[in-house]
Amino acid sequence: MRTSGHGGQGQKYVLTADEDDEVDADFWGFAREAEGLFTPLEEEEEGARRVCFVGCDPRGGLLKSLDHVGGRRAVAGNAWLDVLDADGVTMGSYFVNDVTAVAVQPSAREVGLVDLTVTLWCDHALPGAEAVWNLLRTGRLDRKGMWHTLAPEHRRAWLSVALWSRAYRHRGKPDAPAGRTFTLDGRQVVDEDSFYCALGEAVNGPGGYFGWNLSALDDCLWGGWGAATPFTVDWQHAAEARARLAEPVPTGEGETTTLFDLLLEILEERGVQVILR
């Protein structure tokens, strides 16, 4: 988790120059909103965004770029975009490439601030993630099952926020000790992403993270992500989940297995006992 050292008083985002681009991590300012950050541009390459930083106080390299709007020198460079909670504490961060100022005007939000439109690249700011960040910011991500009604594409966004916000939410909290039992409800497991939503919630509570692909799941099972092995997963309504996770997955040498069986294999190889009910 990055710590911006700035924020509060209604700011939701902070920009800091990438340390590879600046000798000193150059503070680029804060913004009340980042409209368009989570909205892909149609007919553009994946990750391209046109973002309006509403109520922005540009500083450093970002401020310098405003003198060259419309020209080649309007490129401020790469930066970290921190997402802040209501107290100005960093909840998570996105790396953004090629931040380029394209328009600026006085902001209606507050005298002395501007509405700054930039283009940038950000592969990880997924559609649907902004709503999850807002739940976390307002303290309303506080009960299990809130992801159940999400559309399939937004379950991926839910997982992304669970990952990027994990350090903020746990803040040094140790793993659950070995020997714990976690209950997994198979009725809500309808695809691979929903499995990770359900498992993350079972291990780490509402909005919890415990992997979002096979490799990440394996990484989490080595410890440091909420639960120390060995532990037990009590997988209720497992037959329903098995039927929905039946797609074939290559295992090498021309052989395949089902996604359900592969998940079981990964868990059991890392010391997790899975009880199917």
Side-chain angles (χ1 to χ4, degrees):
M1 180 183 70
R2 292 176 53 81
T3 302
S4 68
H6 303 275
Q9 302 180 349
Q11 298 96 315
K12 293 183 179 180
Y13 300 93
V14 158
L15 275 165
T16 305
D18 177 29
E19 294 178 1
D20 291 338
D21 288 350
E22 300 287 343
V23 175
D24 298 315
D26 187 15
F27 176 53
W28 278 5
F30 65 79
R32 311 293 194 201
E33 302 288 348
E35 297 177 353
L37 176 63
F38 302 97
T39 305
L41 296 176
E42 295 183 4
E43 301 180 359
E44 294 285 347
E45 294 183 37
E46 185 178 359
R49 300 288 190 272
R50 184 181 178 93
V51 180
C52 181
F53 290 118
V54 178
C56 178
D57 179 17
R59 311 275 186 90
L62 186 62
L63 179 61
K64 294 176 184 177
S65 72
L66 303 190
D67 294 332
H68 308 283
V69 171
R72 289 185 300 175
R73 296 177 65 187
V75 179
N78 303 333
W80 288 96
L81 179 60
D82 294 346
V83 186
L84 307 180
D85 70 7
D87 296 317
V89 177
T90 298
M91 298 188 291
S93 303
Y94 292 110
F95 188 71
V96 293
N97 298 86
D98 298 332
V99 178
T100 304
V102 296
V104 62
Q105 64 181 19
S107 179
R109 288 292 184 97
E110 185 177 327
V111 175
L113 302 182
V114 299
D115 293 344
L116 171 60
T117 301
V118 303
T119 58
L120 54 81
W121 292 81
C122 185
D123 292 333
H124 298 301
L126 302 181
E130 184 176 20
V132 189
W133 284 119
N134 285 335
L135 288 173
L136 190 58
R137 177 181 290 112
T138 57
R140 292 180 292 132
L141 209 170
D142 57 359
R143 66 185 186 279
K144 291 185 176 182
M146 297 181 70
W147 58 271
H148 291 174
T149 59
L150 294 177
E153 63 272 18
H154 286 171
R155 288 195 286 268
R156 194 68 178 167
W158 178 277
L159 289 167
S160 74
V161 176
L163 172 58
W164 309 135
S165 68
R166 184 192 175 278
Y168 164 78
R169 298 178 69 245
H170 288 266
R171 304 184 197 190
K173 179 181 177 182
D175 284 351
R180 288 283 304 275
T181 296
F182 303 102
T183 301
L184 182 64
D185 187 346
R187 290 174 296 185
Q188 302 299 332
V189 177
V190 298
D191 57 16
E192 186 175 359
D193 283 346
S194 59
F195 166 79
Y196 299 123
C197 290
L199 183 63
E201 182 173 85
V203 174
N204 287 311
Y209 173 82
F210 205 76
W212 68 336
N213 55 45
L214 295 173
S215 178
L217 172 62
D218 187 68
D219 288 343
C220 289
L221 291 167
W222 288 95
W225 294 91
T229 57
F231 61 81
T232 299
V233 171
D234 184 356
W235 195 335
Q236 300 180 354
H237 306 282
E240 296 180 38
R242 182 188 290 273
R244 292 164 177 157
L245 301 179
E247 64 264 36
V249 179
T251 59
E253 299 181 359
E255 298 181 355
T256 63
T257 187
T258 67
L259 177 58
F260 183 88
D261 287 333
L262 183 56
L263 291 169
L264 288 182
E265 180 181 334
I266 292 172
L267 290 168
E268 291 171 351
E269 282 184 351
R270 298 297 180 218
V272 179
Q273 179 186 12
V274 182
I275 301 172
L276 303 178
R277 298 186 187 277

